[in-house]
Amino acid sequence: MASEPSATPMTLTTVVASTRPGRVGRSVADWFTARAAEYDGFESHLVDLRELALPFYDEPHPPALRQYTRSHTVEWSRIVDASDAFVFVTPEYNGGFPAR
Ligand SMILES: Cc1cc2nc3c(=O)[nH]c(=O)nc-3n(C[C@H](O)[C@H](O)[C@H](O)COP(=O)(O)O)c2cc1C
């Protein structure tokens, strides 16, 4: 028996993972987000890590405790909680994906 389509569309978050000056990743992610928005099954959002500006190691507690003290960490956690699926538009630098 076929299941009914969900009344609540899935939330798809596209993450721009390059923060590099002169990056091309943002334009690729903008293009993909617009294409994804054409499908009714998704609510399509874009998150740009350059705009979110998550620094390294500025929370005093381990992430597993979820005791965040910084507004950017709280915002990132909220985005992750609200998302059902992710697309990471990431470059490859020196054989790996960038940490920021
Ligand atoms: C410093 C640097 C290192 C790179 N290393 C690799 C690599 O190891 N393998 C690869 O396939 N491409 C590599 N590239 C190419 C990038 O992955 C590619 O240009 C990508 O589109 C960059 O994304 P961005 O412009 O959004 O930062 C490198 C580019 C740079 C600037």
Side-chain angles (χ1 to χ4, degrees):
M1 185 170 126
S3 60
E4 292 293 317
S6 170
T8 309
M10 302 263 284
T11 298
L12 173 65
T13 298
T14 301
V15 179
V16 185
S18 174
T19 61
R20 186 178 68 84
R23 65 195 175 155
V24 298
R26 176 62 193 250
S27 57
V28 173
D30 283 339
W31 174 85
F32 179 82
T33 303
R35 297 290 81 73
E38 294 170 2
Y39 293 93
D40 292 340
F42 290 122
E43 276 189 12
S44 181
H45 302 274
L46 182 142
V47 176
D48 188 336
L49 293 186
R50 187 155 87 185
E51 293 170 2
L52 198 58
L54 290 170
F56 277 120
Y57 306 129
D58 72 335
E59 287 286 349
H61 309 296
L65 298 178
R66 300 175 61 90
Q67 295 175 0
Y68 307 125
T69 64
R70 313 286 185 185
S71 59
H72 43 249
T73 323
V74 171
E75 176 62 3
W76 174 244
S77 178
R78 186 197 64 74
I79 291 166
V80 171
D81 277 346
S83 301
D84 298 300
F86 296 90
V87 169
F88 284 84
V89 178
T90 186
E92 178 176 329
Y93 299 144
N94 304 322
F97 55 84
R100 67 191 308 186

Short mmCIF file of all heavy atoms in Angstrom, two decimals, residues 16 18-20 22-26 89-96, ligand 1:
data_model
loop_
_atom_site.label_atom_id
_atom_site.label_comp_id
_atom_site.label_asym_id
_atom_site.label_seq_id
_atom_site.Cartn_x
_atom_site.Cartn_y
_atom_site.Cartn_z
N VAL A 16 27.00 26.24 2.52
CA VAL A 16 28.15 26.72 1.76
C VAL A 16 29.37 26.53 2.67
O VAL A 16 29.51 27.21 3.69
CB VAL A 16 28.03 28.20 1.38
CG1 VAL A 16 29.19 28.63 0.49
CG2 VAL A 16 26.70 28.47 0.70
N SER A 18 32.67 26.68 1.87
CA SER A 18 33.87 27.46 1.60
C SER A 18 33.70 28.87 2.13
O SER A 18 32.68 29.52 1.87
CB SER A 18 34.14 27.53 0.09
OG SER A 18 35.24 28.40 -0.16
N THR A 19 34.67 29.34 2.89
CA THR A 19 34.66 30.73 3.37
C THR A 19 35.77 31.54 2.69
O THR A 19 36.05 32.66 3.07
CB THR A 19 34.87 30.76 4.90
OG1 THR A 19 36.14 30.18 5.21
CG2 THR A 19 33.78 29.98 5.62
N ARG A 20 36.39 30.97 1.70
CA ARG A 20 37.57 31.55 1.04
C ARG A 20 37.20 32.81 0.25
O ARG A 20 36.20 32.83 -0.47
CB ARG A 20 38.12 30.50 0.08
CG ARG A 20 39.42 30.82 -0.60
CD ARG A 20 39.86 29.65 -1.48
NE ARG A 20 38.99 29.44 -2.63
CZ ARG A 20 39.11 30.10 -3.77
NH1 ARG A 20 40.05 31.01 -3.92
NH2 ARG A 20 38.29 29.85 -4.78
N GLY A 22 37.00 35.01 -2.81
CA GLY A 22 37.03 34.61 -4.21
C GLY A 22 36.43 33.25 -4.47
O GLY A 22 36.51 32.74 -5.60
N ARG A 23 35.80 32.67 -3.49
CA ARG A 23 35.22 31.32 -3.62
C ARG A 23 34.15 31.27 -4.72
O ARG A 23 33.50 32.27 -5.01
CB ARG A 23 34.58 30.92 -2.29
CG ARG A 23 33.39 31.83 -1.98
CD ARG A 23 32.96 31.73 -0.56
NE ARG A 23 31.91 32.72 -0.32
CZ ARG A 23 31.00 32.64 0.60
NH1 ARG A 23 31.00 31.63 1.43
NH2 ARG A 23 30.10 33.57 0.74
N VAL A 24 33.97 30.07 -5.29
CA VAL A 24 32.87 29.86 -6.23
C VAL A 24 31.73 29.10 -5.58
O VAL A 24 30.64 29.00 -6.14
CB VAL A 24 33.35 29.11 -7.50
CG1 VAL A 24 34.39 29.91 -8.24
CG2 VAL A 24 33.86 27.73 -7.17
N GLY A 25 31.97 28.57 -4.40
CA GLY A 25 30.99 27.71 -3.74
C GLY A 25 29.65 28.38 -3.50
O GLY A 25 28.60 27.74 -3.59
N ARG A 26 29.67 29.69 -3.18
CA ARG A 26 28.40 30.37 -2.90
C ARG A 26 27.50 30.38 -4.14
O ARG A 26 26.29 30.14 -4.03
CB ARG A 26 28.66 31.79 -2.40
CG ARG A 26 27.40 32.62 -2.16
CD ARG A 26 26.50 32.00 -1.08
NE ARG A 26 25.19 32.60 -1.06
CZ ARG A 26 24.73 33.39 -0.08
NH1 ARG A 26 25.50 33.66 0.96
NH2 ARG A 26 23.53 33.89 -0.14
N VAL A 89 28.00 22.03 -0.01
CA VAL A 89 28.74 22.44 -1.20
C VAL A 89 30.14 22.78 -0.70
O VAL A 89 30.38 23.84 -0.12
CB VAL A 89 28.08 23.66 -1.88
CG1 VAL A 89 28.90 24.11 -3.08
CG2 VAL A 89 26.65 23.31 -2.30
N THR A 90 31.02 21.83 -0.87
CA THR A 90 32.34 21.98 -0.26
C THR A 90 33.45 21.87 -1.30
O THR A 90 33.35 21.09 -2.24
CB THR A 90 32.55 20.91 0.84
OG1 THR A 90 33.79 21.16 1.50
CG2 THR A 90 32.56 19.50 0.27
N PRO A 91 34.49 22.65 -1.14
CA PRO A 91 35.66 22.47 -1.98
C PRO A 91 36.52 21.33 -1.45
O PRO A 91 36.26 20.82 -0.34
CB PRO A 91 36.41 23.80 -1.83
CG PRO A 91 36.04 24.28 -0.47
CD PRO A 91 34.65 23.77 -0.20
N GLU A 92 37.51 20.95 -2.23
CA GLU A 92 38.56 20.06 -1.75
C GLU A 92 39.86 20.86 -1.76
O GLU A 92 40.24 21.39 -2.80
CB GLU A 92 38.69 18.83 -2.64
CG GLU A 92 39.81 17.90 -2.21
CD GLU A 92 39.88 16.62 -3.06
OE1 GLU A 92 38.82 16.17 -3.53
OE2 GLU A 92 40.98 16.11 -3.25
N TYR A 93 40.48 20.99 -0.62
CA TYR A 93 41.76 21.68 -0.52
C TYR A 93 42.82 20.68 -0.05
O TYR A 93 42.66 20.07 1.02
CB TYR A 93 41.72 22.83 0.49
CG TYR A 93 40.73 23.94 0.22
CD1 TYR A 93 40.07 24.55 1.27
CD2 TYR A 93 40.48 24.39 -1.06
CE1 TYR A 93 39.17 25.58 1.06
CE2 TYR A 93 39.57 25.42 -1.29
CZ TYR A 93 38.93 26.01 -0.24
OH TYR A 93 38.03 27.03 -0.46
N ASN A 94 43.83 20.53 -0.82
CA ASN A 94 44.95 19.67 -0.42
C ASN A 94 44.50 18.27 0.01
O ASN A 94 44.91 17.75 1.04
CB ASN A 94 45.77 20.34 0.69
CG ASN A 94 46.26 21.71 0.27
OD1 ASN A 94 46.63 21.91 -0.88
ND2 ASN A 94 46.24 22.67 1.19
N GLY A 95 43.60 17.71 -0.78
CA GLY A 95 43.21 16.32 -0.57
C GLY A 95 42.14 16.10 0.48
O GLY A 95 41.85 14.95 0.83
N GLY A 96 41.54 17.16 1.00
CA GLY A 96 40.49 16.96 2.01
C GLY A 96 39.51 18.12 2.00
O GLY A 96 39.72 19.12 1.32
C1 LIG B 1 44.52 25.94 -1.78
C2 LIG B 1 43.70 25.04 -2.68
C3 LIG B 1 43.87 23.66 -2.65
C4 LIG B 1 43.12 22.81 -3.50
N1 LIG B 1 43.29 21.47 -3.42
C5 LIG B 1 42.55 20.65 -4.22
C6 LIG B 1 42.68 19.22 -4.14
O1 LIG B 1 43.44 18.70 -3.35
N2 LIG B 1 41.94 18.46 -4.97
C7 LIG B 1 41.07 19.01 -5.88
O2 LIG B 1 40.42 18.25 -6.63
N3 LIG B 1 40.90 20.35 -5.96
C8 LIG B 1 41.61 21.17 -5.15
N4 LIG B 1 41.45 22.54 -5.22
C9 LIG B 1 40.45 23.07 -6.15
C10 LIG B 1 39.18 23.49 -5.37
O3 LIG B 1 38.58 22.38 -4.70
C11 LIG B 1 38.15 24.05 -6.34
O4 LIG B 1 38.72 25.17 -7.01
C12 LIG B 1 36.89 24.48 -5.62
O5 LIG B 1 35.91 24.87 -6.57
C13 LIG B 1 37.15 25.63 -4.66
O6 LIG B 1 35.91 26.00 -4.05
P1 LIG B 1 35.68 27.48 -3.51
O7 LIG B 1 36.01 28.41 -4.63
O8 LIG B 1 34.21 27.50 -3.13
O9 LIG B 1 36.57 27.65 -2.31
C14 LIG B 1 42.19 23.38 -4.41
C15 LIG B 1 42.02 24.78 -4.42
C16 LIG B 1 42.74 25.60 -3.57
C17 LIG B 1 42.51 27.10 -3.60
#
